[in-house]
Amino acid sequence: MDRVSRRKLMKMVAVAGSGAALTTLVKNEQVNAEEIARMTTEEQAATVIPAARAFGGQHSPKPLPFDPTKLKGISEKLIKSHWENNYSGAVKALNAVEQRLAAMLGEKDLPPYIYGDVKREELVRTGSVVLHEYYFANLGGDGKASGKALDFIKQWFGSYEQWEAEFKKTANALGGGSGWTILSYNLHTGELHNYWAWDHMHNAPMGYPLLVLDMYEHAYHMDYGAAAAKYVDAFMQNVNWDEVNRRAEEMRVRK
Ligand SMILES: [Fe+2]
């Protein structure tokens, strides 16, 4: 392989943005991977395009923002299991998916439907990671609504009680299955709604989450069995309204 074609290869490989892809392609083309390391900094800069950050696969789990022994009606064992197995598992899976996507960029003759499968997984895992982080962050409080979020709820639902009844109704509609209930401000319509989400990919476009409730069975089955409504009641007692208010302050309300 001449110098020019080798440079082309390295550019192609580096665009893929993955160490795994780099190694594979270099081996396939029988080019010594260590050659890149031996290049001068200037030569590397001229030939190697930096790895794509979009496929970095470097996410790491955020620690629980509250003491799991202090929740009312939700056990430490359940929260730890949820955080370690479901949430952290989703973070690991997202990293693996991103790295796989990077590697696939360099694969010739890859069937589009195979790439589509992994792109779907990217959406699933991203939804799971983001929603779990919102969920854990809005737990650990006293469950007493206040502040801007409460004012906003009253504007759109008439009263806290009416909002809570509809939030619980939406959550209970997901009992025994999977999904999320999300109090969202829609940045497009300018409206506040309790959105129903059957899975990690269900989100109203432009919905800005203020309060997120995990309705997957793994979020309550250990403590409540199939009695999802009891878990929903317990969740409401532990909402961290300071965090909900922080989110309400952070978003831009459409005039
Ligand atoms: Fe979960």
mmCIF file of all heavy atoms in Angstrom, residues 29-56:
data_model
loop_
_atom_site.group_PDB
_atom_site.id
_atom_site.type_symbol
_atom_site.label_atom_id
_atom_site.label_comp_id
_atom_site.label_asym_id
_atom_site.label_seq_id
_atom_site.Cartn_x
_atom_site.Cartn_y
_atom_site.Cartn_z
ATOM 1 N N GLU A 29 -6.153 -4.397 6.179
ATOM 2 C CA GLU A 29 -5.349 -3.840 5.089
ATOM 3 C C GLU A 29 -3.856 -4.136 5.282
ATOM 4 O O GLU A 29 -3.024 -3.644 4.548
ATOM 5 C CB GLU A 29 -5.558 -2.319 5.010
ATOM 6 C CG GLU A 29 -6.995 -1.921 4.688
ATOM 7 C CD GLU A 29 -7.404 -2.305 3.277
ATOM 8 O OE1 GLU A 29 -6.518 -2.435 2.412
ATOM 9 O OE2 GLU A 29 -8.608 -2.495 3.055
ATOM 10 N N GLN A 30 -3.557 -4.903 6.311
ATOM 11 C CA GLN A 30 -2.184 -5.303 6.601
ATOM 12 C C GLN A 30 -1.251 -4.107 6.787
ATOM 13 O O GLN A 30 -0.126 -4.081 6.306
ATOM 14 C CB GLN A 30 -1.662 -6.240 5.507
ATOM 15 C CG GLN A 30 -2.456 -7.533 5.441
ATOM 16 C CD GLN A 30 -1.887 -8.487 4.419
ATOM 17 O OE1 GLN A 30 -1.367 -8.065 3.391
ATOM 18 N NE2 GLN A 30 -1.971 -9.763 4.696
ATOM 19 N N VAL A 31 -1.779 -3.125 7.408
ATOM 20 C CA VAL A 31 -0.962 -1.960 7.748
ATOM 21 C C VAL A 31 -0.687 -2.037 9.238
ATOM 22 O O VAL A 31 -1.592 -2.323 10.026
ATOM 23 C CB VAL A 31 -1.714 -0.651 7.435
ATOM 24 C CG1 VAL A 31 -0.906 0.546 7.913
ATOM 25 C CG2 VAL A 31 -1.992 -0.568 5.955
ATOM 26 N N ASN A 32 0.526 -1.792 9.604
ATOM 27 C CA ASN A 32 0.896 -1.862 11.004
ATOM 28 C C ASN A 32 0.275 -0.689 11.766
ATOM 29 O O ASN A 32 0.580 0.476 11.491
ATOM 30 C CB ASN A 32 2.431 -1.822 11.111
ATOM 31 C CG ASN A 32 2.884 -2.056 12.537
ATOM 32 O OD1 ASN A 32 2.077 -2.034 13.469
ATOM 33 N ND2 ASN A 32 4.174 -2.287 12.682
ATOM 34 N N ALA A 33 -0.597 -1.005 12.696
ATOM 35 C CA ALA A 33 -1.278 0.042 13.450
ATOM 36 C C ALA A 33 -0.292 0.918 14.211
ATOM 37 O O ALA A 33 -0.551 2.096 14.459
ATOM 38 C CB ALA A 33 -2.258 -0.596 14.426
ATOM 39 N N GLU A 34 0.837 0.324 14.568
ATOM 40 C CA GLU A 34 1.818 1.102 15.344
ATOM 41 C C GLU A 34 2.441 2.216 14.500
ATOM 42 O O GLU A 34 3.049 3.138 15.032
ATOM 43 C CB GLU A 34 2.907 0.170 15.866
ATOM 44 C CG GLU A 34 2.379 -0.816 16.905
ATOM 45 C CD GLU A 34 3.430 -1.844 17.302
ATOM 46 O OE1 GLU A 34 4.545 -1.779 16.751
ATOM 47 O OE2 GLU A 34 3.108 -2.691 18.138
ATOM 48 N N GLU A 35 2.270 2.099 13.205
ATOM 49 C CA GLU A 35 2.822 3.124 12.328
ATOM 50 C C GLU A 35 2.221 4.494 12.637
ATOM 51 O O GLU A 35 2.893 5.509 12.563
ATOM 52 C CB GLU A 35 2.545 2.766 10.860
ATOM 53 C CG GLU A 35 3.334 3.611 9.875
ATOM 54 C CD GLU A 35 3.142 3.097 8.460
ATOM 55 O OE1 GLU A 35 2.639 1.970 8.308
ATOM 56 O OE2 GLU A 35 3.486 3.820 7.528
ATOM 57 N N ILE A 36 0.946 4.462 12.962
ATOM 58 C CA ILE A 36 0.284 5.732 13.302
ATOM 59 C C ILE A 36 0.957 6.346 14.518
ATOM 60 O O ILE A 36 1.216 7.547 14.569
ATOM 61 C CB ILE A 36 -1.214 5.496 13.579
ATOM 62 C CG1 ILE A 36 -1.886 4.963 12.313
ATOM 63 C CG2 ILE A 36 -1.896 6.773 14.054
ATOM 64 C CD1 ILE A 36 -3.310 4.493 12.529
ATOM 65 N N ALA A 37 1.244 5.492 15.493
ATOM 66 C CA ALA A 37 1.864 5.986 16.721
ATOM 67 C C ALA A 37 3.261 6.548 16.465
ATOM 68 O O ALA A 37 3.732 7.418 17.190
ATOM 69 C CB ALA A 37 1.918 4.856 17.745
ATOM 70 N N ARG A 38 3.904 6.036 15.430
ATOM 71 C CA ARG A 38 5.272 6.507 15.147
ATOM 72 C C ARG A 38 5.307 7.823 14.378
ATOM 73 O O ARG A 38 6.340 8.437 14.241
ATOM 74 C CB ARG A 38 6.030 5.440 14.342
ATOM 75 C CG ARG A 38 6.409 4.205 15.147
ATOM 76 C CD ARG A 38 7.541 3.455 14.478
ATOM 77 N NE ARG A 38 7.155 2.942 13.177
ATOM 78 C CZ ARG A 38 6.608 1.740 12.978
ATOM 79 N NH1 ARG A 38 6.376 0.930 13.996
ATOM 80 N NH2 ARG A 38 6.299 1.341 11.768
ATOM 81 N N MET A 39 4.155 8.237 13.870
ATOM 82 C CA MET A 39 4.108 9.488 13.106
ATOM 83 C C MET A 39 4.399 10.688 13.989
ATOM 84 O O MET A 39 4.155 10.652 15.200
ATOM 85 C CB MET A 39 2.700 9.685 12.497
ATOM 86 C CG MET A 39 2.387 8.775 11.354
ATOM 87 S SD MET A 39 0.699 9.127 10.799
ATOM 88 C CE MET A 39 0.672 8.187 9.299
ATOM 89 N N THR A 40 4.892 11.739 13.355
ATOM 90 C CA THR A 40 5.051 12.981 14.097
ATOM 91 C C THR A 40 3.661 13.550 14.366
ATOM 92 O O THR A 40 2.683 13.180 13.713
ATOM 93 C CB THR A 40 5.841 14.012 13.278
ATOM 94 O OG1 THR A 40 5.073 14.333 12.112
ATOM 95 C CG2 THR A 40 7.208 13.474 12.879
ATOM 96 N N THR A 41 3.596 14.455 15.315
ATOM 97 C CA THR A 41 2.310 15.074 15.638
ATOM 98 C C THR A 41 1.719 15.750 14.410
ATOM 99 O O THR A 41 0.511 15.658 14.150
ATOM 100 C CB THR A 41 2.493 16.125 16.758
ATOM 101 O OG1 THR A 41 3.113 15.486 17.857
ATOM 102 C CG2 THR A 41 1.164 16.713 17.194
ATOM 103 N N GLU A 42 2.592 16.419 13.650
ATOM 104 C CA GLU A 42 2.120 17.133 12.456
ATOM 105 C C GLU A 42 1.562 16.151 11.430
ATOM 106 O O GLU A 42 0.541 16.402 10.790
ATOM 107 C CB GLU A 42 3.257 17.950 11.829
ATOM 108 C CG GLU A 42 3.738 19.126 12.668
ATOM 109 C CD GLU A 42 4.568 18.708 13.867
ATOM 110 O OE1 GLU A 42 5.101 17.575 13.880
ATOM 111 O OE2 GLU A 42 4.665 19.498 14.835
ATOM 112 N N GLU A 43 2.254 15.021 11.275
ATOM 113 C CA GLU A 43 1.817 14.039 10.286
ATOM 114 C C GLU A 43 0.490 13.413 10.707
ATOM 115 O O GLU A 43 -0.400 13.201 9.887
ATOM 116 C CB GLU A 43 2.874 12.950 10.123
ATOM 117 C CG GLU A 43 2.674 12.145 8.859
ATOM 118 C CD GLU A 43 3.843 11.240 8.559
ATOM 119 O OE1 GLU A 43 4.676 11.007 9.471
ATOM 120 O OE2 GLU A 43 3.912 10.749 7.436
ATOM 121 N N GLN A 44 0.372 13.131 11.981
ATOM 122 C CA GLN A 44 -0.906 12.587 12.472
ATOM 123 C C GLN A 44 -2.038 13.581 12.234
ATOM 124 O O GLN A 44 -3.119 13.220 11.781
ATOM 125 C CB GLN A 44 -0.814 12.280 13.967
ATOM 126 C CG GLN A 44 -0.067 11.000 14.274
ATOM 127 C CD GLN A 44 -0.045 10.694 15.756
ATOM 128 O OE1 GLN A 44 -0.528 11.464 16.573
ATOM 129 N NE2 GLN A 44 0.551 9.577 16.100
ATOM 130 N N ALA A 45 -1.746 14.866 12.498
ATOM 131 C CA ALA A 45 -2.778 15.886 12.320
ATOM 132 C C ALA A 45 -3.197 15.996 10.861
ATOM 133 O O ALA A 45 -4.349 16.292 10.551
ATOM 134 C CB ALA A 45 -2.272 17.234 12.830
ATOM 135 N N ALA A 46 -2.256 15.734 9.973
ATOM 136 C CA ALA A 46 -2.545 15.850 8.537
ATOM 137 C C ALA A 46 -3.288 14.635 8.001
ATOM 138 O O ALA A 46 -3.920 14.707 6.952
ATOM 139 C CB ALA A 46 -1.245 16.040 7.771
ATOM 140 N N THR A 47 -3.205 13.551 8.690
ATOM 141 C CA THR A 47 -3.779 12.318 8.145
ATOM 142 C C THR A 47 -4.953 11.762 8.932
ATOM 143 O O THR A 47 -5.820 11.092 8.370
ATOM 144 C CB THR A 47 -2.716 11.203 8.079
ATOM 145 O OG1 THR A 47 -2.183 11.028 9.375
ATOM 146 C CG2 THR A 47 -1.615 11.557 7.092
ATOM 147 N N VAL A 48 -4.994 12.013 10.203
ATOM 148 C CA VAL A 48 -6.019 11.377 11.036
ATOM 149 C C VAL A 48 -7.071 12.393 11.463
ATOM 150 O O VAL A 48 -6.758 13.405 12.066
ATOM 151 C CB VAL A 48 -5.378 10.732 12.293
ATOM 152 C CG1 VAL A 48 -6.460 10.108 13.169
ATOM 153 C CG2 VAL A 48 -4.355 9.704 11.881
ATOM 154 N N ILE A 49 -8.304 12.109 11.113
ATOM 155 C CA ILE A 49 -9.417 12.958 11.543
ATOM 156 C C ILE A 49 -9.822 12.517 12.948
ATOM 157 O O ILE A 49 -9.938 11.320 13.214
ATOM 158 C CB ILE A 49 -10.611 12.806 10.582
ATOM 159 C CG1 ILE A 49 -10.200 13.317 9.191
ATOM 160 C CG2 ILE A 49 -11.831 13.552 11.092
ATOM 161 C CD1 ILE A 49 -11.230 13.034 8.128
ATOM 162 N N PRO A 50 -10.010 13.474 13.865
ATOM 163 C CA PRO A 50 -10.355 13.074 15.240
ATOM 164 C C PRO A 50 -11.599 12.195 15.286
ATOM 165 O O PRO A 50 -12.495 12.324 14.469
ATOM 166 C CB PRO A 50 -10.618 14.420 15.935
ATOM 167 C CG PRO A 50 -9.913 15.425 15.101
ATOM 168 C CD PRO A 50 -9.949 14.918 13.695
ATOM 169 N N ALA A 51 -11.619 11.327 16.271
ATOM 170 C CA ALA A 51 -12.751 10.407 16.443
ATOM 171 C C ALA A 51 -14.044 11.189 16.657
ATOM 172 O O ALA A 51 -14.055 12.252 17.265
ATOM 173 C CB ALA A 51 -12.498 9.497 17.635
ATOM 174 N N ALA A 52 -15.132 10.658 16.128
ATOM 175 C CA ALA A 52 -16.437 11.313 16.271
ATOM 176 C C ALA A 52 -16.919 11.178 17.709
ATOM 177 O O ALA A 52 -17.080 10.065 18.210
ATOM 178 C CB ALA A 52 -17.438 10.681 15.312
ATOM 179 N N ARG A 53 -17.185 12.301 18.343
ATOM 180 C CA ARG A 53 -17.644 12.275 19.739
ATOM 181 C C ARG A 53 -18.998 11.598 19.863
ATOM 182 O O ARG A 53 -19.334 11.046 20.912
ATOM 183 C CB ARG A 53 -17.729 13.702 20.280
ATOM 184 C CG ARG A 53 -16.379 14.365 20.437
ATOM 185 C CD ARG A 53 -16.531 15.796 20.898
ATOM 186 N NE ARG A 53 -17.172 15.894 22.203
ATOM 187 C CZ ARG A 53 -17.629 17.041 22.704
ATOM 188 N NH1 ARG A 53 -17.543 18.146 22.021
ATOM 189 N NH2 ARG A 53 -18.190 17.052 23.898
ATOM 190 N N ALA A 54 -19.785 11.662 18.793
ATOM 191 C CA ALA A 54 -21.129 11.068 18.842
ATOM 192 C C ALA A 54 -21.091 9.573 19.108
ATOM 193 O O ALA A 54 -22.072 9.005 19.577
ATOM 194 C CB ALA A 54 -21.868 11.345 17.535
ATOM 195 N N PHE A 55 -19.970 8.962 18.839
ATOM 196 C CA PHE A 55 -19.873 7.512 19.037
ATOM 197 C C PHE A 55 -18.835 7.177 20.103
ATOM 198 O O PHE A 55 -18.191 6.137 20.048
ATOM 199 C CB PHE A 55 -19.537 6.819 17.708
ATOM 200 C CG PHE A 55 -20.506 7.168 16.613
ATOM 201 C CD1 PHE A 55 -20.092 7.863 15.491
ATOM 202 C CD2 PHE A 55 -21.844 6.826 16.719
ATOM 203 C CE1 PHE A 55 -20.995 8.206 14.486
ATOM 204 C CE2 PHE A 55 -22.753 7.164 15.733
ATOM 205 C CZ PHE A 55 -22.331 7.861 14.612
ATOM 206 N N GLY A 56 -18.687 8.085 21.040
ATOM 207 C CA GLY A 56 -17.653 7.918 22.053
ATOM 208 C C GLY A 56 -17.881 6.732 22.970
ATOM 209 O O GLY A 56 -16.942 6.077 23.402
#
